[in-house]
Short mmCIF file of all heavy atoms in Angstrom, two decimals:
data_model
loop_
_atom_site.label_atom_id
_atom_site.label_comp_id
_atom_site.label_asym_id
_atom_site.label_seq_id
_atom_site.Cartn_x
_atom_site.Cartn_y
_atom_site.Cartn_z
N THR A 49 145.78 280.88 -8.63
CA THR A 49 146.95 280.34 -7.96
C THR A 49 148.04 281.41 -7.92
O THR A 49 148.27 282.10 -8.91
CB THR A 49 147.50 279.12 -8.72
OG1 THR A 49 146.48 278.12 -8.79
CG2 THR A 49 148.71 278.54 -8.03
N VAL A 50 148.68 281.55 -6.77
CA VAL A 50 149.83 282.45 -6.65
C VAL A 50 151.08 281.58 -6.60
O VAL A 50 151.26 280.81 -5.65
CB VAL A 50 149.74 283.33 -5.40
CG1 VAL A 50 151.00 284.18 -5.26
CG2 VAL A 50 148.51 284.23 -5.48
N PRO A 51 151.94 281.66 -7.61
CA PRO A 51 153.13 280.79 -7.64
C PRO A 51 154.17 281.21 -6.62
O PRO A 51 154.10 282.29 -6.02
CB PRO A 51 153.64 280.98 -9.07
CG PRO A 51 153.17 282.34 -9.46
CD PRO A 51 151.84 282.53 -8.79
N GLU A 52 155.16 280.36 -6.45
CA GLU A 52 156.25 280.62 -5.52
C GLU A 52 157.15 281.72 -6.07
O GLU A 52 157.75 281.58 -7.15
CB GLU A 52 157.06 279.34 -5.30
CG GLU A 52 158.18 279.47 -4.31
CD GLU A 52 158.97 278.20 -4.16
OE1 GLU A 52 158.97 277.38 -5.10
OE2 GLU A 52 159.61 278.01 -3.10
N TYR A 53 157.26 282.80 -5.33
CA TYR A 53 158.06 283.94 -5.79
C TYR A 53 159.55 283.59 -5.85
O TYR A 53 160.29 284.09 -6.70
CB TYR A 53 157.84 285.14 -4.88
CG TYR A 53 158.74 286.31 -5.20
CD1 TYR A 53 158.58 287.02 -6.38
CD2 TYR A 53 159.78 286.67 -4.34
CE1 TYR A 53 159.41 288.09 -6.70
CE2 TYR A 53 160.62 287.74 -4.64
CZ TYR A 53 160.43 288.44 -5.82
OH TYR A 53 161.26 289.49 -6.14
N LEU A 54 160.01 282.71 -4.97
CA LEU A 54 161.42 282.34 -4.93
C LEU A 54 161.91 281.82 -6.28
O LEU A 54 163.05 282.08 -6.68
CB LEU A 54 161.66 281.30 -3.84
CG LEU A 54 163.07 280.72 -3.75
CD1 LEU A 54 164.10 281.81 -3.44
CD2 LEU A 54 163.13 279.62 -2.70
N ARG A 55 161.05 281.07 -6.96
CA ARG A 55 161.45 280.51 -8.26
C ARG A 55 161.77 281.63 -9.25
O ARG A 55 162.79 281.61 -9.94
CB ARG A 55 160.34 279.61 -8.80
CG ARG A 55 160.67 278.96 -10.14
CD ARG A 55 159.50 278.08 -10.60
NE ARG A 55 159.29 277.00 -9.66
CZ ARG A 55 159.94 275.85 -9.68
NH1 ARG A 55 160.86 275.63 -10.61
NH2 ARG A 55 159.66 274.90 -8.81
N ALA A 56 160.89 282.63 -9.32
CA ALA A 56 161.12 283.76 -10.22
C ALA A 56 162.36 284.54 -9.81
O ALA A 56 163.13 285.02 -10.66
CB ALA A 56 159.89 284.67 -10.24
N TRP A 57 162.56 284.67 -8.49
CA TRP A 57 163.73 285.40 -7.99
C TRP A 57 165.02 284.70 -8.41
O TRP A 57 165.96 285.35 -8.88
CB TRP A 57 163.65 285.49 -6.46
CG TRP A 57 164.62 286.46 -5.85
CD1 TRP A 57 164.37 287.74 -5.46
CD2 TRP A 57 166.01 286.21 -5.56
NE1 TRP A 57 165.51 288.32 -4.94
CE2 TRP A 57 166.53 287.40 -4.98
CE3 TRP A 57 166.84 285.12 -5.71
CZ2 TRP A 57 167.86 287.50 -4.59
CZ3 TRP A 57 168.17 285.22 -5.33
CH2 TRP A 57 168.67 286.39 -4.77
N CYS A 58 165.07 283.40 -8.25
CA CYS A 58 166.27 282.64 -8.63
C CYS A 58 166.53 282.71 -10.13
O CYS A 58 167.69 282.84 -10.57
CB CYS A 58 166.15 281.19 -8.18
SG CYS A 58 166.21 280.96 -6.39
N ASP A 59 165.46 282.64 -10.93
CA ASP A 59 165.62 282.73 -12.38
C ASP A 59 166.16 284.11 -12.77
O ASP A 59 167.00 284.22 -13.68
CB ASP A 59 164.28 282.49 -13.07
CG ASP A 59 163.83 281.04 -12.97
OD1 ASP A 59 164.69 280.17 -12.67
OD2 ASP A 59 162.64 280.77 -13.18
N GLN A 60 165.69 285.14 -12.09
CA GLN A 60 166.11 286.50 -12.41
C GLN A 60 167.56 286.76 -12.02
O GLN A 60 168.31 287.39 -12.76
CB GLN A 60 165.20 287.51 -11.72
CG GLN A 60 165.59 288.97 -11.96
CD GLN A 60 164.71 289.95 -11.21
OE1 GLN A 60 163.73 289.57 -10.58
NE2 GLN A 60 165.05 291.23 -11.29
N HIS A 61 167.97 286.26 -10.84
CA HIS A 61 169.30 286.55 -10.33
C HIS A 61 170.33 285.48 -10.67
O HIS A 61 171.54 285.70 -10.48
CB HIS A 61 169.25 286.72 -8.80
CG HIS A 61 168.51 287.94 -8.36
ND1 HIS A 61 167.13 287.99 -8.30
CD2 HIS A 61 168.95 289.16 -7.96
CE1 HIS A 61 166.74 289.18 -7.87
NE2 HIS A 61 167.82 289.91 -7.67
N GLY A 62 169.88 284.32 -11.11
CA GLY A 62 170.81 283.26 -11.48
C GLY A 62 171.51 282.63 -10.30
O GLY A 62 172.61 282.07 -10.44
N ARG A 63 170.91 282.71 -9.12
CA ARG A 63 171.49 282.13 -7.92
C ARG A 63 170.41 282.00 -6.85
O ARG A 63 169.29 282.49 -7.02
CB ARG A 63 172.62 283.03 -7.37
CG ARG A 63 172.15 284.44 -6.99
CD ARG A 63 173.28 285.26 -6.40
NE ARG A 63 172.88 286.64 -6.14
CZ ARG A 63 172.24 287.04 -5.04
NH1 ARG A 63 171.95 286.16 -4.08
NH2 ARG A 63 171.92 288.31 -4.87
N THR A 64 170.76 281.33 -5.76
CA THR A 64 169.85 281.27 -4.62
C THR A 64 170.09 282.48 -3.71
O THR A 64 171.18 283.06 -3.73
CB THR A 64 170.06 279.98 -3.82
OG1 THR A 64 171.43 279.89 -3.42
CG2 THR A 64 169.70 278.76 -4.68
N PRO A 65 169.11 282.90 -2.93
CA PRO A 65 169.26 284.11 -2.13
C PRO A 65 170.18 283.95 -0.94
O PRO A 65 170.37 282.86 -0.41
CB PRO A 65 167.82 284.40 -1.67
CG PRO A 65 167.14 283.07 -1.71
CD PRO A 65 167.75 282.33 -2.85
N LEU A 66 170.73 285.08 -0.51
CA LEU A 66 171.55 285.14 0.69
C LEU A 66 170.64 285.28 1.91
O LEU A 66 169.44 285.57 1.79
CB LEU A 66 172.51 286.33 0.61
CG LEU A 66 173.44 286.39 -0.61
CD1 LEU A 66 174.22 287.70 -0.60
CD2 LEU A 66 174.37 285.19 -0.64
N ALA A 67 171.23 285.13 3.06
CA ALA A 67 170.44 285.25 4.29
C ALA A 67 169.79 286.62 4.39
O ALA A 67 168.63 286.74 4.83
CB ALA A 67 171.35 285.00 5.50
N SER A 68 170.50 287.67 3.99
CA SER A 68 169.98 289.03 4.10
C SER A 68 168.84 289.30 3.12
O SER A 68 168.15 290.33 3.25
CB SER A 68 171.11 290.03 3.85
OG SER A 68 171.68 289.84 2.56
#
Side-chain angles (χ1 to χ4, degrees):
T49 301
V50 176
E52 183 182 24
Y53 174 69
L54 175 61
R55 181 180 297 275
W57 193 98
C58 291
D59 289 343
Q60 178 183 355
H61 292 80
R63 61 177 175 84
T64 56
L66 304 174
S68 59

